[in-house]
Amino acid sequence: MIRQVREKRHRRQGNSVVGSLDNSAKQGIGYLLVDCGSALIELGLFQVLYGLVGLNVSIANIVAVVCATAFNFLTNQRVTFKSALNPVQSLARYLLLFAFNTTFTTCAITYLVSLGLNGLIAKFATMCCVVCWNFFLYKSFVFPQETKRDKRK
């Protein structure tokens, strides 16, 4: 009898771990797909606005970044992470992380290029860093599935 109870408890615990790994894997794949989609939106819209329409390069870039960022935020919040946090709080956290990432990548690229590294390689390296830590920060800080209030219950 005691052995059966332990086995049931172990199975439940094991399934919850497997379930959470499955959920994290799904979120990771979704996150990468959303980020790839965001990059394609940004590049495609920039090319259309600058290359085809003839819009000023700075304006074309700003419009493309804003549209891609809006897509990224909304899709990650609603689909990838299904956040329980108030959308305004998520947006504030997202913009804080966005500002940090922009500052980091700009400083790092500038430094790496000053050392003689190719600008495209420096950009790619910093993007890899951001993609890695953003997943974990999106999951735990920007788009948490549980709020502190949920955990208290």
Side-chain angles (χ1 to χ4, degrees):
M1 178 75 170
I2 293 173
R3 184 176 181 187
Q4 290 173 337
V5 170
R6 285 183 185 161
E7 286 176 3
K8 282 183 183 179
R9 188 179 308 143
H10 179 70
R11 269 187 262 140
R12 265 188 272 140
Q13 290 170 347
N15 287 340
S16 67
V17 170
V18 170
S20 68
L21 287 176
D22 289 344
N23 190 40
S24 288
K26 287 177 188 174
Q27 286 178 334
I29 292 167
Y31 167 75
L32 290 174
L33 290 173
V34 169
D35 274 16
C36 287
S38 298
L40 290 174
I41 289 169
E42 185 174 338
L43 291 169
L45 191 55
F46 176 80
Q47 182 58 33
V48 167
L49 294 174
Y50 177 67
L52 297 177
V53 176
L55 206 58
N56 174 282
V57 68
S58 298
I59 294 171
N61 184 59
I62 291 168
V63 171
V65 167
V66 167
C67 289
T69 300
F71 167 80
N72 186 285
F73 171 78
L74 292 170
T75 308
N76 273 317
Q77 183 214 21
R78 295 180 181 168
V79 179
T80 306
F81 297 101
K82 297 179 178 121
S83 179
L85 192 64
N86 177 317
V88 175
Q89 288 177 305
S90 284
L91 180 60
R93 292 175 179 193
Y94 183 89
L95 292 175
L96 181 67
L97 182 58
F98 180 80
F100 171 80
N101 287 339
T102 302
T103 302
F104 166 79
T105 55
T106 302
C107 291
I109 291 168
T110 302
Y111 177 70
L112 292 170
V113 168
S114 76
L115 294 178
L117 191 64
N118 176 283
L120 191 58
I121 293 171
K123 174 70 172 167
F124 183 75
T126 60
M127 286 175 71
C128 288
C129 293
V130 169
V131 166
C132 290
W133 69 56
N134 269 3
F135 174 74
F136 297 104
L137 289 171
Y138 280 5
K139 184 175 175 68
S140 62
F141 177 68
V142 178
F143 305 117
Q145 290 183 317
E146 288 183 332
T147 62
K148 288 181 181 178
R149 191 176 292 161
D150 294 336
K151 289 180 182 179
R152 285 186 217 147
K153 290 180 183 178

